[in-house]
Amino acid sequence: MIIFLLFLSVFSPSWAKEPRLVEMSLGIDMKPPEEFSRLPARNVNTAWTTMPLDHFDHQNPTNFSMRFMFNEQFFGGDGYPIFILVGGEWDILPGWLMAGNMFEMARENKGYQVYTEHRYYGASKIFANFTAENLRFLNIDQALADLAYFITDMKKQPRFADSKVILYGGSYAANMVMWFKMRYPHLVVGTVASSGPILAKVDFFEYLEVVHEAFWLEGGEQCIAHIRQGIEETVASMQTEEGRRRLEQAYRLCEPLNYDNVYDLGQFSGLISWTFSTSVQQAFPGSLISICNNFNDNTYGSTPMEKIGGYIARIRNLSSNSCWQINYQSFLDSYMLPTNSRAWYYQTCTEYGFYQTAPTSGTVFDGLKWLSLDFYVDICKKIFDERFDEAFVKAGADRVNLVFGALAPEVKNTINIHGYIDPWRALGVYKEDVSDTSPTYTVDRASHCFDMRAWSSSDTIAMTAVQQRARRIVTSWLS
Ligand SMILES: *[C@@H]1O[C@H](CO)[C@@H](O)[C@H](O)[C@H]1NC(C)=O
Ligand SMILES: *[C@@H]1O[C@H](CO)[C@@H](O)[C@H](O)[C@H]1NC(C)=O
Ligand SMILES: *[C@@H]1O[C@H](CO)[C@@H](O)[C@H](O)[C@H]1NC(C)=O
């Protein structure tokens, strides 16, 4: 018996499953067009520029290095236009200067392509330690000023002195380009804003409403019924010991959930909702239908709850020797390193909210009530500062809405594009034009930032038409 136990203790690590933490999908990881993500950076170079750390305190002499990339393969010479792809809460990658709709614009107009990195993200981190103190210089005002300095510096080169500048941005960077055009109208002739959630909103329950609607539009009532039954069975299973064991098995959890801790349950609810969100945010025509087909023909599992657990494992690529670790403290710990995720969480606490809470309007996600505002705001308090409470977070969002005009920005020459099944469009202007010179295009069956990519065989005619329309408008601004 003793020998057996020894044997167990020596070998159990290799039998134990590898715990994996769930990543929250609040920020966007802007992967380059698929086919170019792994290719060498053809024609794309990386460079660095010096930026003041604090644009609004002239007495602070501290600088930092901001990374950018450029591609001059199409550049026609003196006075030809500059196209700047604006980086958001992610690492800039060369693939975006090798394909996509801005690449086509540069080709058609003999433009010079640039991709700027947002301060505190990617290799433009500034600080080795992201304390709340060090993150003070991470905000939209500083980031827009970085762009203004960047453009002004570029235009000091004689070849760019007469060049017109176009900005293109997706997601948070779509807000940036629109707001840049409002604040520095003299520096750019026009901007393309792809999927911009320009309304800062702390309790963003509309997000999961659109996720629900997207599955309904693509997969119909039957698909919704599968998801609803699976989530209802999950919530009901929490009531009994026997149900809890079935739940832990269906979702492949490493250890029993802490059913007494609302934050552990919030994280578990997120494992479910953030996976459905990811599927919708990255959807292309046909992708949600194939998920729904898998629900129908038991590909993910047999019981309604097993289907949800199996779907999550499949979509998130959980390997057979791994399990999900649901533990609020480990979740918080994973946010302590100076990563893009931590920087973006800081911006949600101080500027945007954007917290994807459980709706109460009859969606399949209503039962996941642990996805509360308190859950998301508690993270602000725990990983940054106890003072970052709900009132603080709401005041930050109010400030952004006050400064930039919320859903009624006064902005010229901005092409405002949305995908109808993109959950972020709920915080954008998607029903009407932004202004006389800033048209809106909202495309059915399209999702987040669809227009930025290169043409794909799954694109609908309407998607391609909007990309072309944007290119024609940009060309007219340049003529
Ligand atoms: C910051 O950069 C500016 C402009 O390049 C330079 O004049 C200044 O000396 C730099 N400050 C420090 C502290 O190096
Ligand atoms: C970062 O700052 C915190 C708070 O000041 C400190 O506790 C921690 O040790 C620092 N970490 C590193 C890697 O310097
Ligand atoms: C899924 O896992 C397989 C095997 O580990 C890996 O080759 C593949 O790249 C993963 N896919 C994604 C999307 O992570």
Side-chain angles (χ1 to χ4, degrees):
M1 189 59 195
I2 287 170
I3 290 172
F4 179 63
L5 277 181
L6 259 180
F7 182 79
L8 250 188
S9 66
V10 169
F11 285 94
S12 61
S14 62
W15 298 345
K17 300 216 168 197
E18 188 78 34
R20 239 186 88 182
L21 265 180
V22 192
E23 300 119 51
M24 198 183 306
S25 59
L26 277 189
I28 317 291
D29 191 10
M30 195 65 85
K31 298 263 179 359
E34 190 86 23
E35 61 276 36
F36 295 93
S37 55
R38 270 177 281 279
L39 288 183
R42 193 161 25 84
N43 296 321
V44 180
N45 299 290
T46 298
W48 298 81
T49 185
T50 300
M51 274 296 156
L53 176 64
D54 186 352
H55 292 289
F56 308 108
D57 179 4
H58 202 50
Q59 294 183 39
N60 183 345
T62 314
N63 294 321
F64 75 97
S65 284
M66 180 179 129
R67 179 168 69 162
F68 65 99
M69 295 179 181
F70 60 95
N71 176 348
E72 41 190 35
Q73 74 180 106
F74 300 129
F75 188 51
D78 291 4
Y80 278 87
I82 300 170
F83 290 86
I84 301 179
L85 189 65
V86 174
E89 73 277 20
W90 52 80
D91 290 40
I92 57 169
L93 290 168
W96 279 107
L97 298 185
M98 293 156 65
N101 212 30
M102 194 188 86
F103 177 88
E104 296 305 329
M105 290 173 178
R107 192 213 303 269
E108 288 170 7
N109 298 285
K110 296 193 179 172
Y112 189 99
Q113 293 186 81
V114 180
Y115 192 3
T116 52
E117 194 157 71
H118 193 295
R119 55 167 59 204
Y120 288 85
Y121 294 94
S124 306
K125 283 201 191 312
I126 310 184
F127 294 99
N129 195 344
F130 281 4
T131 55
E133 173 79 6
N134 287 346
L135 288 162
R136 279 183 350 270
F137 306 99
L138 171 57
N139 58 55
I140 182 66
D141 308 272
Q142 299 283 4
L144 294 182
D146 287 340
L147 275 174
Y149 271 70
F150 184 86
I151 292 169
T152 306
D153 270 355
M154 245 186 122
K155 298 204 65 169
K156 285 179 189 155
Q157 297 181 41
R159 59 181 175 157
F160 297 128
D162 299 321
S163 296
K164 290 178 175 168
V165 179
I166 301 286
L167 302 184
Y168 205 132
S171 199
Y172 161 55
N175 295 4
M176 292 174 69
V177 303
M178 188 184 284
W179 295 341
F180 187 89
K181 180 71 182 141
M182 293 167 71
R183 189 168 282 182
Y184 304 96
H186 55 294
L187 293 180
V188 294
V189 295
T191 72
V192 188
S194 173
S195 303
I198 56 173
L199 179 69
K201 189 163 194 286
V202 177
D203 189 357
F204 184 18
F205 59 84
E206 295 91 339
Y207 183 101
L208 287 173
E209 289 181 343
V210 180
V211 173
H212 173 106
E213 190 183 4
F215 272 96
W216 182 76
L217 285 169
E218 294 285 302
E221 209 45 71
Q222 195 183 19
C223 193
I224 289 295
H226 282 298
I227 303 171
R228 191 184 295 282
Q229 283 164 17
I231 293 178
E232 280 175 3
E233 187 188 339
T234 304
V235 174
S237 300
M238 294 180 184
Q239 304 306 317
T240 64
E241 282 305 317
E242 180 271 335
R244 291 175 175 187
R245 299 298 88 78
R246 275 192 295 114
L247 179 154
E248 288 145 17
Q249 197 158 25
Y251 285 91
R252 295 176 54 189
L253 306 187
C254 301
E255 46 197 60
L257 270 177
N258 183 351
Y259 294 91
D260 298 324
N261 185 325
V262 289
Y263 299 141
D264 281 54
L265 294 178
Q267 192 196 348
F268 172 69
S269 302
L271 174 65
I272 300 171
S273 72
W274 303 329
T275 307
F276 282 99
S277 307
T278 303
S279 293
V280 169
Q281 213 169 284
Q282 298 174 351
F284 53 87
S287 67
L288 297 183
I289 294 172
S290 62
I291 289 171
C292 292
N293 289 341
N294 289 343
F295 277 120
N296 282 340
D297 57 23
N298 296 356
T299 306
Y300 298 133
S302 335
T303 71
M305 179 163 70
E306 283 168 12
K307 287 182 185 190
I308 306 286
Y311 154 75
I312 293 169
R314 177 74 64 89
I315 294 293
R316 294 186 174 269
N317 219 355
L318 187 70
S319 69
S320 55
N321 60 358
S322 300
C323 53
W324 293 116
Q325 182 182 21
I326 305 291
N327 176 295
Y328 189 54
Q329 191 54 50
S330 318
F331 187 63
L332 296 176
D333 291 345
S334 74
Y335 274 93
M336 297 315 288
L337 294 171
T339 57
N340 291 350
S341 305
R342 181 171 170 83
W344 181 244
Y345 213 95
Y346 175 83
Q347 287 198 267
T348 67
C349 300
T350 53
E351 298 190 300
Y352 308 106
F354 290 159
Y355 299 132
Q356 299 157 18
T357 53
T360 54
S361 51
T363 74
V364 295
F365 304 109
D366 288 26
L368 301 175
K369 60 180 185 209
W370 303 276
L371 288 171
S372 64
L373 203 50
D374 177 50
F375 167 71
Y376 287 104
V377 171
D378 190 65
I379 300 174
C380 295
K381 290 195 271 189
K382 296 270 167 56
I383 70 175
F384 296 116
D385 191 321
E386 275 299 326
R387 292 173 304 168
F388 288 13
D389 60 8
E390 191 177 317
F392 174 92
V393 175
K394 285 188 163 153
D398 286 347
R399 185 195 77 91
V400 168
N401 290 329
L402 169 77
V403 169
F404 297 106
L407 288 175
E410 268 192 40
V411 64
K412 293 193 174 124
N413 286 18
T414 288
I415 306 168
N416 175 51
I417 301 175
H418 286 285
Y420 190 77
I421 63 166
D422 170 17
W424 292 101
R425 62 108 169 123
L427 297 185
V429 175
Y430 65 94
K431 288 185 196 147
E432 68 271 320
D433 290 343
V434 176
S435 72
D436 283 354
T437 57
S438 299
T440 293
Y441 301 100
T442 301
V443 179
D444 285 344
R445 304 198 70 194
S447 193
H448 204 50
C449 302
F450 74 92
D451 57 289
M452 298 183 71
R453 292 191 295 262
W455 181 82
S456 142
S457 56
S458 62
D459 288 353
T460 63
I461 289 172
M463 289 162 76
T464 306
V466 163
Q467 288 182 311
Q468 286 171 342
R469 184 93 193 102
R471 296 210 297 275
R472 272 203 299 277
I473 294 172
V474 164
T475 298
S476 75
W477 289 336
L478 294 171
S479 65

